[in-house]
Each structure stands twice: as C-alpha cells, then as structure tokens.
C-alpha cells in the first residue's frame, strides 16, 4: 500500500455514473429534499471514458462503477465493456442494489465484468421493503443466485449494520458466506441523514464482531494491493469470507487509496472532506489531457497532504451520486 517516503499509492477510483436510484434507502439521503441533477450536468459516457484513461495515466488501476444505481442508466453495458478496454485499468468493479441483476447478469458478464458488489441489508422481504422503500427482495435474491451461477468473482455483499433494524439477523447474513463463495461485508452506518437517526441506528462493528464470535475463530485473509478499507477474515468451514468496514470507529484515512468522481464531474479526494475539484469544467471547455491529468494529480497530492480528518465530527454527504 505504501510507496517510498511513506506516501500511499492512490490507485482506486469510485466513479458515480448517475445520481438516480430506483430505491429510496432510509439511510442514504434525505429523499424529501433530494433533487435530481439535470441530465446535461451528468458526465456522458465518452467523457467518463476519457477521464478513466487520464486517471490510469495518474496511477489509477481499479475503477468501481457506482451511483445512484448504475444499472438504471441506459447504455451501461456498452460503457462497462469500453471501460474494461481502457489501457492501464486492471480491474473494473460494479456496485449495484441488484434489483435489475436477474435481467442483466449474463450481459454484464459478457462485458468482461467479474467483480460485483451487491447491497443487501436483510434476508427478510418485508424488512427489505421498509429499508429500501420497494418490495424487491425476491428479485435481488434471484439476481444474486444468477450472479453466483455465472461465476462472478469476487462477489461481495454490502450490508450496513443498523441498530434496531437488522442487528437481529447479523449471524444469518454472515452465514451466507458459509454456504456460498461470497464476501459478506458489514459496514458502519455513516451519518448521511440526520444526527438523531444516526445516533439511534449506528452499530459499531466491534459489537457486530462480538455477536459473530459464535461462528468460530476468524483468521485474517491475505490482503490484495488494490484492496479498499475492509478487514477481511476467513472462518473454518466457510466457502466465503467476512469483511468489516468501520469508517466511523476506526480511521481509514491513513490507508485509504481511493478518489471519487461524482456523477456531476467533481473529483473528491475524500468522501468526508469538503474539497471537490472541478474536472467537468475543464473537460467541457476543451482542456487537453495534461490539464486533466493535473486535476487528478492535485486530488492525489491533497489526499497525501490532508489525511487527518476527524471523522467523528464529519457529516457525510448524501450517497446518491457521490460514489458511496
Ligand atoms: N445503488 C448502488 C447500491 O445500492 O449498491 C450503488 C450506490 S450505494 C450509495 C453504494 C453503497 O453505499 C451501498 O452498499 C449502500 O448500502 C451504501 N450506503 C449508502 N448510504 C450509506 C450510509 N449512510 N452508511 C453506510 N453505507 C451507506
């Protein structure tokens, strides 16, 4: 992870391709206040591909396509296929809520995509409806089954641990990794909605781990060079793994290797920080690649300069469109 001189290698870009979502998850944003961006403000696919090529020049090796809901954007399959061809980009991943996965999984596999993250906070259909606002749990599970049978690997499940909402099924969720070659990733709730809601539902992952101790003794899994902030463990008898992402109770800043490109074309060195570098402006004004490269370089340098962000005091922006 570290380069000579102690600097991190910033090699991972989360690229939000839309601010639109077909779910309304309770913890994601203030949906009543949410206004979609005019479509002209959202980066076009050819713009995203050009930025991916420049990002590769700046050292990015892994791109995660996210949103909003990326599978809800028309043309996403062609885009993923082209992104897989960008020289220097070694890994393309996608994060999806999975409600269109049953329909799209074979075509996604055809694009060359192998690395898929699926968001799933509950194994109970009625609870799923309460969390996401839609009655789509069965579709998501059918999509997951299809992705498993096609052989997507790694296939990871993102599960936000929510006190009083899904904390009674943490063991059941973890057991998916016993039965299937999945990485179940428990994520701490970030305060992207009200402070009161966060106070009521935040569950530290230390407590999640304590409750999962009944499953056996976890051993740390080997770490990959472009891996994000998850701490990953293996358990005896499990086909898959468990991952833990604790942005609140443990600082990730020192090891965070990611930049974010918002759907509106702003480059963010840090999800919790205030700095946004406008890259869409120069891109649309006709800037040559070296200029765009300079914007990536500035984002990378600022990340290495300002890594001590007091996360407990941060309010995170709404996730939709942010590349959360
Ligand atoms: N629509 C896609 C999906 O649902 O996977 C991609 C975008 S969504 C913003 C990406 C991830 O962020 C999801 O796994 C979601 O659960 C997570 N997320 C959203 N708000 C969060 C919050 N306040 N705290 C922790 N994770 C959050």
């Amino acid at each position: 992870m570290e380069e000579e001189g102690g600097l991190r290698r910033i090699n991972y870009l989360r690229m939000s391709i839309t601010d639109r979502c077909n779910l309304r998850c309770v913890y994601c944003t203030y949906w009543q206040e949410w206004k979609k961006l005019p479509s002209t403000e959202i980066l076009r696919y050819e713009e995203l591909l050009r930025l991916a090529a420049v990002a590769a020049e700046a050292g990015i090796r892994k791109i995660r396509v996210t949103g909003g809901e990326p599978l809800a954007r028309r043309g996403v399959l062609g885009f993923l296929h082209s992104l897989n061809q960008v020289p220097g980009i070694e890994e393309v991943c996608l994060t999806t809520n999975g409600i269109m996965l049953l329909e799209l999984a074979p075509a996604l596999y055809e694009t060359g995509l192998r690395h898929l993250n699926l968001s799933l906070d509950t194994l109970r259909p009625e609870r799923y409806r309460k969390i996401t606002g839609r009655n789509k749990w069965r579709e998501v599970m059918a999509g997951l089954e299809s992705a498993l049978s096609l052989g997507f690997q790694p296939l990871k499940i993102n599960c936000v641990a929510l006190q009083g909402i899904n904390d009674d099924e943490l063991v059941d969720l973890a057991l998916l990794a016993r039965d299937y070659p999945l990485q179940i990733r428990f994520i701490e709730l970030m305060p992207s909605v009200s402070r009161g809601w966060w106070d009521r539902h935040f569950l530290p992952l230390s407590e999640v781990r304590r409750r999962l101790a009944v499953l056996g003794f976890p051993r740390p899994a080997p770490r990959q060079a472009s891996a994000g902030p998850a701490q990953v463990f293996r358990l005896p008898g499990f086909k898959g793994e468990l991952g833990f992402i604790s942005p609140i109770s443990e600082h990730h800043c020192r090891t965070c290797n990611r930049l974010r490109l918002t759907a509106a074309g702003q480059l963010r060195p840090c999800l919790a920080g205030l700095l946004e570098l406008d890259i869409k402006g120069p891109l649309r004004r006709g800037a040559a690649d070296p200029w765009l490269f300079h914007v990536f370089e500035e984002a990378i340098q600022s990340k290495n300069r300002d890594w001590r962000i007091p996360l407990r005091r941060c309010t995170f922006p709404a996730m939709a469109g942010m590349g959360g």
Side-chain angles (χ1 to χ4, degrees):
M1 172 76 62
E2 293 207 341
E3 285 181 336
E4 272 174 49
L7 293 184
R8 289 161 297 170
R9 203 170 289 135
I10 308 300
N11 54 9
Y12 179 6
L13 176 68
R14 294 177 74 97
M15 185 181 256
S16 174
I17 65 166
T18 179
D19 64 333
R20 274 64 158 177
C21 192
N22 40 19
L23 294 181
R24 292 287 179 266
C25 297
V26 278
Y27 50 72
C28 183
T29 190
Y30 290 105
W31 289 106
Q32 299 91 322
E33 291 171 20
W34 181 78
K35 282 200 183 71
K36 65 180 180 188
L37 287 166
S39 48
T40 50
E41 292 304 315
I42 292 176
L43 290 173
R44 296 189 295 273
Y45 283 136
E46 63 270 24
E47 293 174 326
L48 288 164
L49 289 169
R50 180 153 170 231
L51 291 181
V54 175
E57 290 288 318
I60 297 294
R61 295 288 167 265
K62 170 175 171 178
I63 295 185
R64 173 171 303 284
V65 175
T66 178
E69 174 48 41
L71 295 188
R73 180 164 174 183
R74 213 177 308 140
V76 66
L77 295 170
F79 170 66
L80 287 168
H81 181 80
S82 303
L83 194 57
N84 261 311
Q85 317 299 316
V86 172
I89 299 301
E90 294 162 5
E91 203 179 343
V92 174
C93 332
L94 179 88
T95 301
T96 174
N97 58 33
I99 69 177
M100 297 167 74
L101 195 55
L102 180 60
E103 174 194 337
L104 293 178
L108 278 172
Y109 198 84
E110 286 283 296
T111 68
L113 184 82
R114 294 293 177 271
H115 186 156
L116 199 58
N117 282 27
L118 178 69
S119 304
L120 180 71
D121 304 321
T122 177
L123 295 175
R124 303 184 191 177
E126 179 50 22
R127 187 172 280 178
Y128 183 89
R129 191 189 60 74
K130 285 195 178 135
I131 295 173
T132 67
R134 290 192 71 189
N135 196 9
K136 291 284 179 188
W137 183 84
R138 287 182 181 79
E139 283 85 339
V140 176
M141 295 310 281
L144 173 58
E145 229 171 272
S146 166
L148 273 166
S149 67
L150 284 160
F152 282 95
Q153 192 58 244
L155 183 46
K156 301 180 184 176
I157 304 291
N158 286 354
C159 173
V160 182
L162 299 161
Q163 174 75 46
I165 295 183
N166 66 358
D167 59 321
D168 55 348
E169 51 178 324
L170 299 171
V171 170
D172 293 343
L173 284 155
L175 283 173
L176 288 175
R178 181 192 62 189
D179 301 334
Y180 302 98
L182 295 170
Q183 187 185 108
I184 310 295
R185 296 147 66 90
F186 294 98
I187 305 173
E188 275 179 348
L189 176 66
M190 292 183 272
S192 50
V193 286
S194 76
R195 181 67 202 222
W197 202 90
W198 183 80
D199 279 342
R200 276 195 302 287
H201 299 295
F202 174 71
L203 183 64
L205 289 196
S206 51
E207 175 58 19
V208 174
R209 286 193 210 199
R210 197 187 63 75
R211 295 192 200 177
L212 298 183
V214 291
L215 298 174
F217 185 74
R219 285 172 200 283
R223 205 179 150 74
Q224 290 177 343
S226 63
Q231 290 177 280
V232 181
F233 296 90
R234 294 193 176 145
L235 282 153
F238 274 49
K239 292 185 178 146
E241 299 171 327
L242 300 183
F244 298 91
I245 305 180
S246 355
I248 306 295
S249 59
E250 286 167 38
H251 284 230
H252 288 154
C253 303
R254 228 181 204 297
T255 53
C256 174
N257 60 346
R258 59 181 65 173
L259 299 178
R260 287 180 158 80
L261 178 64
T262 70
Q266 306 297 303
L267 200 54
R268 288 182 73 108
C270 169
L271 178 64
L274 295 177
L275 183 63
E276 279 195 345
L277 301 170
D278 178 27
I279 200 160
K280 181 176 66 185
L283 177 70
R284 290 195 173 170
R285 287 192 295 273
D289 283 0
W291 184 279
L292 302 174
F293 177 86
H294 175 73
V295 182
F296 274 99
E297 238 185 10
E298 176 54 30
I300 290 168
Q301 278 168 14
S302 90
K303 206 165 167 70
N304 278 319
R305 232 180 7 242
D306 316 319
W307 56 266
R308 278 174 220 271
I309 292 172
L311 275 181
R312 277 185 180 278
R313 278 186 273 132
C314 286
T315 300
F316 285 76
M319 292 298 203
M322 191 57 65

